[in-house]
Amino acid sequence: EGHTVTDHSIFRDHAARYEQEFLDDLKSLGIRMPSVLTRVSEYIEEIVEFVQTLIKKGMAYESNGSVYFNVAQFSTCHQYCKLRPECAMNTKLGEEGEGALGSSGEKKSQSDFALWKKSKKGEPQWDSPWGYGRPGWHIECSAMSGELLGNNFDIHGGGSDL
């Protein structure tokens, strides 16, 4: 029945429960509390701006209300997967990452990935230049960390903690 959800506070309430459990676990393990806690829903404007910048630079494109990162275009001037070259163009990893949320023929290439996904009924959604949707998980860390740490920082886990 999730597709019938219209009150989107249910998503924040659900996330808040697990966020509190995480913080309780940190405390019980004697781990120092984070100095900053980020929530994607609080960075939607920055994410949209980040995606718009990538489109302007020719590194992303809109397709049917979603926006995808153009891996082939990026690779013409940058080394894609510099830290883990064995992951480059690995479509199996892409399928694992996007799973059922992946494309249904909207992408130019199987290696491209979602920066902004057109929302489906019952999903959290925000307005954007491409219509209602939500961030793809690939862009969330980039936008939030860039906002908090600036454009240059040394270490990023790249979702290895997920």
Side-chain angles (χ1 to χ4, degrees), residues 71 74-75 77-89 152:
V71 172
F74 179 83
S75 298
C77 51
H78 301 283
Q79 183 180 353
Y80 183 63
C81 292
K82 186 188 321 189
L83 299 178
R84 293 188 61 200
E86 70 275 10
C87 295
M89 307 305 183
N152 297 305

Side-chain angles (χ1 to χ4, degrees), residues 10-151:
I10 191 170
F11 299 114
R12 178 65 202 125
D13 294 345
H14 181 72
R17 173 182 162 207
Y18 290 100
E19 181 180 290
Q20 188 57 56
E21 285 184 20
F22 170 72
L23 295 172
D24 292 344
D25 288 347
L26 290 178
K27 185 175 181 181
S28 69
L29 292 168
I31 298 172
R32 190 172 44 175
M33 290 290 131
S35 54
V36 177
L37 245 165
T38 58
R39 296 173 189 93
V40 172
S41 59
E42 296 171 1
Y43 286 83
I44 297 301
E45 184 177 323
E46 291 84 357
I47 291 169
V48 168
E49 289 172 8
F50 201 108
V51 172
Q52 287 177 309
T53 298
L54 290 172
I55 291 172
K56 287 177 189 168
K57 290 182 174 186
M59 299 296 165
Y61 58 92
E62 186 274 334
S63 177
N64 193 29
S66 294
V67 179
Y68 296 94
F69 187 78
N70 189 330
V71 172
Q73 181 61 34
F74 179 83
S75 298
T76 63
C77 51
H78 301 283
Q79 183 180 353
Y80 183 63
C81 292
K82 186 188 321 189
L83 299 178
R84 293 188 61 200
E86 70 275 10
C87 295
M89 307 305 183
N90 184 331
T91 55
K92 185 175 183 201
L93 284 176
E95 290 168 8
E96 288 175 9
E98 290 194 358
L101 303 175
S103 171
S104 57
E106 299 173 352
K107 301 189 293 185
K108 292 180 180 179
S109 168
Q110 281 302 107
S111 57
D112 294 350
F113 52 85
L115 299 173
W116 186 266
K117 286 296 291 178
K118 180 178 180 179
S119 60
K120 297 175 185 154
K121 194 173 182 179
E123 290 182 338
Q125 61 180 329
W126 293 268
D127 199 9
S128 79
W130 317 286
Y132 284 96
R134 58 178 173 71
W137 66 270
H138 302 85
I139 196 69
E140 295 170 351
C141 290
S142 302
M144 292 187 300
S145 59
E147 188 68 23
L148 292 168
L149 302 171
N151 291 330

